[in-house]
Amino acid sequence: MCNKCEYPLKTCVCSAVNQIENKIEVIILQDKNEVNNAKNTARLVALCLTDISIIKSDDTTRLTQLQNSCLSDPRSFALFFPCNNSHAFEHHFPNLQNNNLGTSTAVKHLLFIDGTWRKAKRLYLSHEWLQSLPSFHFNEPLEGMYRIRKTSINNGISTLEAVAYVVSKTDDIPSKPLYDLFEKMQSFWPSN
């Protein structure tokens, strides 16, 4: 096992890791069952971004800390999860890029939920405080590059792809290092 990327040595992705200095913190709330998934893209995101936290759904201490932060200053968070009250990210990203959602509170945290669609939705619905955050969906269908995964969701993309798209807009940074790492990980798997 590689100590840095946590993949087996024969599938180590370290040669493709290039760090990106993101300006707005990325937080990934990860379903507890995704943590040990070999195709875990949140792990890849953590290898590239300099300001990132991954909070496992069964880590009650860190989850409570996140909940308290969200409840005390909800406007400092932007949740990326498509729901009934979510807004099109593309229409609001200039405000996020300027670190402002039309309030006096700057957006300081970009929050993503990592897991299968069913598990991510369950996480979202089981935490009322997540539902109170400003939430965003992608108006433009993004072409998923996750060829080693099967999904029945139209325009379903991985956590890495969602994060790469968002930080390329909000932080005006290149997403290529994330996609290069993603490609390296996928190169060790047969395509579906």
Side-chain angles (χ1 to χ4, degrees), residues 99-106:
N99 221 5
N100 188 334
L101 278 176
T103 68
S104 60
T105 304

Side-chain angles (χ1 to χ4, degrees), residues 44-62:
L44 297 175
V45 175
L47 290 169
C48 277
L49 297 183
T50 57
D51 193 2
I52 181 170
S53 297
I54 298 178
I55 300 172
K56 299 172 192 135
S57 63
D58 62 348
D59 184 341
T60 55
T61 301
R62 292 190 67 212

Side-chain angles (χ1 to χ4, degrees), residues 118-186:
R118 187 175 50 88
K119 290 175 183 174
K121 188 174 183 181
R122 186 181 325 133
L123 258 176
Y124 174 77
L125 293 174
S126 66
H127 297 290
E128 223 172 89
W129 53 273
L130 284 173
Q131 298 167 46
S132 69
L133 297 175
S135 56
F136 299 90
H137 62 268
F138 302 136
N139 199 40
E140 301 294 323
L142 302 179
E143 185 179 333
M145 299 171 74
Y146 202 177
R147 67 180 184 279
I148 62 171
R149 176 195 69 175
K150 292 180 183 177
T151 182
S152 60
I153 304 297
N154 285 339
N155 302 318
I157 59 173
S158 69
T159 299
L160 180 142
E161 292 167 305
V163 170
Y165 180 67
V166 171
V167 298
S168 73
K169 304 290 187 197
T170 60
D171 289 10
D172 196 26
I173 56 177
S175 56
K176 187 177 182 332
L178 284 160
Y179 284 113
D180 288 348
L181 186 57
F182 191 40
E183 182 56 38
K184 178 73 172 179
M185 183 270 289
Q186 291 188 93

